[in-house]
Amino acid sequence: MRNPQSNRIKLPPLATLPAFSIAARTGSLTLAARELHLTPGAISRQIKSLEDTLGVQLFHRRHNAISLTDAGRQYLIHVNAALATLENGTRALLPDRVRLVIQAPITLARRWLIPRIGAYLQENPSVDLNIQSLALGASDVPDVTISYTRGADETRFPSAFLLDRTVAVCSPLLIGSVAKTVTPEALLDLPILLDTADAWSWRRWCEAAGIPFRPRSGSITFDTDEASIDACMTGLGIGQASPFLIERELREGQLILLRPTINPIVGAYEIAGSTPTGRAVGFNQWLQTSQAA
């Protein structure tokens, strides 16, 4: 009679799965190490142990960047599902659950907040978050509202937790090897991508570069940062973006910086409202200390 145990697949070291999941989400061993309070070397060893056990490569590694292989993307779906099941089961056992409603601009939520929110939940395991986009309207009374204000003067934002600087970026498909030597004036000879109808970011950038804003090859206007960044990645033109919103694209070489020393302030993200509720105080404090994470 066949032994049913012989059909069982040997599970990988379970302790390596959170490191794999977080590294895949952040695209960085350093950020994964920060969330798990380990060293980048320890994260690297855990992932190597997981790859050795599975007999497949989960990440492409180049310079200081990592990106998932096809096998890694497939495996991540199952790992995240398993971790979510365990997390939900654990949360169900914890008493005194706290619900925290956060409203934020959609691009900030997707590109800055979500990649970092795992660190907050690790420190606050009894909190259930509800993250809502300001653009889509409120479905709940928020505990925390993150607002964006335009401005070119840092002194206008004494309470900002994140200053918004803008840099010129493009796909390497558009410029390629001459990117490091292209002049600010020459950028305006290429198609220009705008994330607002009044070209606020481009006008501030040109002012900092000491040149007039006179695009000579046409422009495409979008109504969100997200759309402008997507268009930039496809090679449609030169765009403006905040470096903290395109961290992964810069690491993976999907976007390149042009004249990075020209990076004027164009606004700031602040916590709106006056006196926060008790449950929001801790989150607000976390926001103030997370801008470098």
Side-chain angles (χ1 to χ4, degrees), residues 195-239:
D195 55 16
T196 59
D198 63 354
W200 167 257
S201 295
W202 265 110
R203 292 182 187 281
R204 299 288 74 71
W205 189 89
C206 287
E207 181 181 326
I211 60 174
F213 176 64
R214 293 174 185 163
R216 293 177 282 274
S217 294
S219 64
I220 306 175
T221 302
F222 301 92
D223 61 355
T224 65
D225 293 341
E226 195 72 26
S228 178
I229 291 169
D230 287 344
C232 199
M233 290 171 59
T234 66
L236 283 177
I238 307 294

Side-chain angles (χ1 to χ4, degrees), residues 18-146:
F20 166 63
S21 176
I22 295 172
R25 169 167 53 80
T26 62
S28 167
L29 297 180
T30 300
L31 293 178
R34 193 172 294 165
E35 282 199 28
L36 292 174
H37 304 289
L38 298 171
T39 65
I43 297 295
S44 180
R45 288 190 293 273
Q46 288 190 21
I47 292 173
K48 183 65 166 59
S49 173
L50 179 59
E51 290 177 324
D52 289 344
T53 302
L54 297 173
V56 297
Q57 184 178 348
L58 299 173
F59 288 104
H60 296 298
R61 297 167 174 83
R62 55 181 182 274
H63 303 297
N64 294 323
I66 59 173
S67 60
L68 286 167
T69 63
D70 289 341
R73 280 190 287 271
Q74 181 180 359
Y75 193 53
L76 180 64
I77 295 172
H78 301 287
V79 168
N80 282 347
L83 291 175
T85 299
L86 288 172
E87 183 176 351
N88 289 336
T90 303
R91 288 180 183 277
L93 296 176
L94 296 174
D96 302 325
R97 305 298 306 163
V98 174
R99 184 170 181 265
L100 188 65
V101 179
I102 301 163
Q103 291 182 3
I106 189 168
T107 302
L108 181 80
R110 289 184 59 186
R111 291 182 165 271
W112 187 86
L113 185 57
I114 289 175
R116 291 166 170 78
I117 205 68
Y120 171 80
L121 291 175
Q122 278 202 324
E123 298 170 8
N124 301 271
S126 64
V127 175
D128 292 324
L129 291 177
N130 184 341
I131 300 176
Q132 302 176 354
S133 168
L134 282 175
L136 299 180
S139 58
D140 294 282
V141 176
D143 299 295
V144 177
T145 299
I146 298 173

Side-chain angles (χ1 to χ4, degrees), residues 8-28:
R8 296 188 63 182
I9 297 175
K10 181 182 177 182
L11 292 175
L14 299 183
T16 64
L17 299 183
F20 166 63
S21 176
I22 295 172
R25 169 167 53 80
T26 62
S28 167

